[in-house]
Amino acid sequence: MSETIDKETFSFQTEVGQLLEIVAGSLYSNREVFLRELVSNASDACDKLRYAALTDASLAPSQDLAITLEFDTRAKTLSISDNGIGMNHADLLETLGTIAKSGTGAFMEALKADEVDAPGLIGQFGVGFYSAFMVSTKVDVLTRKAGEDEAWLWSSDGKGSFTIEPAQRETSGTTVTLHLKKDAKEFAEDARIRHIIKTYSEHISFPVKLGDETLNAAEALWTRPTKDITKEQYTEFYRHSSHAFDEPWHVMHNKVEGTLNHTSLLFVPTAQPFDLFDAERKSHVKLFVNRVFISETTKDLLPAYLRFLRGIVDSQDLSLNVSREMLQSDPKLAKIKSQVTKKVLSELKKKATKEPEDYAKFWNNFGAVLKEGLVEDAALRDRIVEICRFASTGEVGLASLSDYVSRMKEGQDAIFYIAGEDAAKLAQSPHLEGFKAKGVEVLLLSDNVDEFWLQHITEFDGKPLKSITRGAADLDEIKTGEDANEEDKSDDADLADLIAAIKEELGETVKDVRPSKRLTDSPVCLIADEGDMDVNLERLLKRHGQLEHGMPRVLELNPTHAMITTLAERAQAESASDDTLLKDAAHLLLDQARIVEGENPTDPSEFARRLGTVMERAFTTSQ
Ligand code: ADP
Ligand code: MG
């Protein structure tokens, strides 16, 4: 490229413009994390150079990799330099002007919400660089890419555009210079800078220097013996490496020695990370080979169902001289993955048994993710089931399947569950009535993933898992203790005419009409027939466009409900076949059952008309 190129001006991508507007306009309480973000970028740049030098010796850094801070209190400037990988013209355009990440829209929405922890969100989403504009009126980035001769100066006031021009830099690396806002001049003060580095960047692996002094420990924390590491040090490392602010819910630091040595330092967050339910299901645990950073988002290091974990895995027994891609298909890595996964599951099991209340917090955040393992990891399915917890109509709190089995009633031969979208609504479902009356516990499954693991786990401890919205509910065999001489309610015969009349009227819209054993209070409910797809799964598939029409369902009538018995009498009359009110009632019963399920009436205008007719009749006769 020739020396004659002038300064070029570029507009920020719209999303960046919006982001900068939000960032620059607000005063956040923890805006000092901009420094953590820039130091973290400098450290990433050093990691990248070290990795690149593995395959291209000419890139090997001539000096030790380090991060250098300089400030000028009077001029209100602060700069962060590294001798890492650097950026060329194309890199600058690509990375410091756009957000090329999926989920940007959702991220921007989240950011606009009140009381959001914006600095935290920014780092987590991976746009930490822009946090520089929380404290700066202008940001300069002087950079030169390793292995290239040209240097560039990127510059912006964060107001819609940035410039790039040719520049001079002796060695490869990057210097980010912040021209601080008036109200941010504290960040050009010695004590403040030291304190921030101590708080946020103590345990990054490269030295952070101020003058001749190194401010941080600058060693890989995970290489130290666990007994020498304090809780605070773990927390600091967790926060830095995952751009988080919360305390880790659990820290797991393990060294495995033997044929395959590896160390893992893993954290379970207290709060849900922002991208937990992204379609990409990215892992955020970093892979190191003998302290050289290799990659972050590899599924070959940990299974996707453990993607809530943060931290690192380091092994000296993996080969450094192969590409990332080859390393990822290395059987040794597969072995490490399997060992680490098992270790994590056993640690979680310990927490689940010893501290069930604390475990419930974990479960509410990450249970839905962990349950994906029931579908995906056949080999470890039994171990995962053990640490799964479920909401239930039984005891307060969450139940494990073994808890459930231990509480089963005499004569109960299945583990009952109901699946739907919302646990609170499920708890109100009419399908539960008979079970509640008998004191039979029902699991309330409200995560989407539930329908999928239920396809794989059809029994536990020899007991089948059975949906209470599908097939017959035969509760007669179940003894409840207090009502040994329960009267046998065989009202079926009484309903025969009503059932015939309703079937006749509803035709194909229902698969069948039957007396119900699961209802005690509500007059009607809908269920899937034995062998058909369960109601919730059908709903789920329809919503995702994987199913066009559902199967007709079975309408169940409560033989003890006053309305049903009255209708049954009416259906026995001679004139029943011309009884328009009875016909309207048939449709209304179906619609009522649908509405309780959260669905619409079959035909809303007909529904309104019928309801009108019936009400009119009721009011006229009661006068
Ligand atoms: P993230 O670090 O999560 O990718 P950032 O917004 O912090 O997001 O940084 C965006 C990108 O800018 C980085 O991925 C990197 O490519 C580039 N970058 C930022 N700072 C540096 C630096 N000091 N050296 C080299 N590249 C950098
Ligand atoms: Mg970053």
Side-chain angles (χ1 to χ4, degrees), residues 130-274:
Y130 300 112
S131 66
F133 288 96
M134 292 195 290
V135 295
S136 315
T137 52
K138 181 165 172 269
V139 177
D140 294 326
V141 180
L142 175 64
T143 182
R144 181 174 146 192
K145 187 150 185 168
E148 297 184 16
D149 295 330
E150 294 113 359
W152 302 96
L153 178 64
W154 180 102
S155 184
S156 175
D157 62 3
K159 296 208 173 74
S161 67
F162 61 90
T163 58
I164 300 179
E165 62 192 296
Q168 296 300 318
R169 200 179 197 283
E170 299 242 322
T171 51
S172 65
T174 301
T175 300
V176 178
T177 303
L178 310 179
H179 301 268
L180 296 165
K181 291 178 179 176
K182 264 204 202 86
D183 68 7
K185 62 175 193 294
E186 57 184 283
F187 300 115
E189 285 163 14
D190 189 83
R192 189 79 170 100
I193 296 171
R194 284 167 190 275
H195 183 71
I196 299 174
I197 296 296
K198 273 280 167 210
T199 315
Y200 294 105
S201 311
E202 173 72 357
H203 287 102
I204 62 160
S205 343
F206 302 98
V208 179
K209 292 181 174 164
L210 189 63
D212 295 332
E213 204 183 332
T214 297
L215 300 182
N216 62 335
E219 65 169 351
L221 183 69
W222 64 87
T223 58
R224 299 201 356 217
T226 41
K227 63 173 177 25
D228 295 349
I229 307 175
T230 64
K231 186 167 174 277
E232 288 69 31
Q233 288 171 331
Y234 278 129
T235 301
E236 182 272 319
F237 182 82
Y238 159 71
R239 289 183 175 165
H240 194 287
S241 59
S242 40
H243 306 267
F245 282 100
D246 56 338
E247 293 284 328
W249 175 79
H250 191 48
V251 180
M252 301 171 269
H253 188 183
N254 292 295
K255 286 191 173 65
V256 174
E257 279 162 6
T259 45
L260 191 56
N261 297 290
H262 58 91
T263 299
S264 58
L265 174 52
L266 299 171
F267 303 90
V268 179
T270 302
Q272 274 191 357
F274 177 72

Side-chain angles (χ1 to χ4, degrees), residues 221-368:
L221 183 69
W222 64 87
T223 58
R224 299 201 356 217
T226 41
K227 63 173 177 25
D228 295 349
I229 307 175
T230 64
K231 186 167 174 277
E232 288 69 31
Q233 288 171 331
Y234 278 129
T235 301
E236 182 272 319
F237 182 82
Y238 159 71
R239 289 183 175 165
H240 194 287
S241 59
S242 40
H243 306 267
F245 282 100
D246 56 338
E247 293 284 328
W249 175 79
H250 191 48
V251 180
M252 301 171 269
H253 188 183
N254 292 295
K255 286 191 173 65
V256 174
E257 279 162 6
T259 45
L260 191 56
N261 297 290
H262 58 91
T263 299
S264 58
L265 174 52
L266 299 171
F267 303 90
V268 179
T270 302
Q272 274 191 357
F274 177 72
D275 64 350
L276 192 60
F277 292 102
D278 271 9
E280 288 175 67
R281 308 203 299 156
K282 267 190 197 159
S283 153
H284 290 284
V285 172
K286 293 181 176 154
L287 174 63
F288 286 77
V289 174
N290 205 11
R291 278 175 254 175
V292 177
F293 171 74
I294 302 296
S295 66
E296 173 159 330
T297 55
T298 165
K299 293 225 164 72
D300 308 286
L301 179 56
L302 278 169
Y305 64 84
L306 294 182
R307 65 183 174 279
F308 51 82
L309 292 174
R310 295 294 184 265
I312 64 94
V313 176
D314 189 354
S315 172
Q316 71 217 45
D317 293 336
L318 292 168
S319 171
L320 258 178
N321 301 312
V322 296
S323 71
R324 248 177 218 139
E325 291 66 33
M326 280 177 66
L327 187 62
Q328 288 173 8
S329 51
D330 186 338
K332 282 196 216 139
L333 184 59
K335 185 121 190 255
I336 292 175
K337 174 182 177 177
S338 148
Q339 289 181 353
V340 175
T341 303
K342 283 181 193 155
K343 181 73 191 167
V344 170
L345 294 179
S346 82
E347 291 259 325
L348 288 175
K349 184 175 168 185
K350 242 187 264 162
K351 287 286 272 186
T353 14
K354 290 194 182 142
E355 298 164 67
E357 280 172 28
D358 200 29
Y359 189 75
K361 291 185 202 151
F362 159 81
W363 187 258
N364 290 331
N365 277 332
F366 305 119

Side-chain angles (χ1 to χ4, degrees), residues 392-507:
S392 123
T393 57
E395 317 265 298
V396 276
L398 298 169
S400 69
L401 289 185
S402 359
D403 293 339
Y404 183 101
V405 170
S406 72
R407 295 197 287 252
M408 277 170 62
K409 298 275 178 211
E410 197 187 329
Q412 181 181 349
D413 56 4
I415 297 170
F416 294 109
Y417 69 86
I418 180 167
E421 268 160 61
D422 169 341
K425 267 193 216 144
L426 283 180
Q428 304 301 322
S429 169
H431 298 94
L432 288 170
E433 291 168 1
F435 294 85
K436 280 187 186 156
K438 285 238 170 186
V440 174
E441 188 168 352
V442 178
L443 301 177
L444 309 170
L445 308 181
S446 58
D447 290 317
N448 283 350
V449 62
D450 290 325
E451 284 299 345
F452 299 98
W453 68 258
L454 285 164
Q455 318 283 318
H456 296 274
I457 300 179
T458 50
E459 60 159 62
F460 177 82
D461 202 6
K463 316 277 186 302
L465 276 97
K466 192 166 177 342
S467 166
I468 63 161
T469 59
R470 180 168 71 173
D474 202 353
L475 299 169
D476 291 348
E477 294 301 311
I478 302 177
K479 309 252 183 322
T480 55
E482 65 240 35
D483 51 4
N485 51 353
E486 265 178 299
E487 80 273 41
D488 186 14
K489 305 188 206 105
S490 44
D491 301 279
D492 301 24
D494 302 342
L495 294 188
D497 290 324
L498 178 61
I499 286 176
I502 295 178
K503 272 192 196 168
E504 165 87 26
E505 184 57 28
L506 297 182

Side-chain angles (χ1 to χ4, degrees), residues 15 18-19 22 99 103-113 274:
E15 286 80 4
Q18 288 171 353
L19 172 64
I22 298 171
I99 311 176
T104 303
F107 163 71
M108 298 297 300
E109 280 313 307
L111 206 56
K112 281 179 203 153
F274 177 72

Side-chain angles (χ1 to χ4, degrees), residues 36-38 40-42 44 122-123 126-129 243:
R36 175 183 81 179
E37 293 303 323
L38 297 179
S40 144
N41 285 349
D44 291 349
I122 288 167
V127 288
F129 172 77
H243 306 267

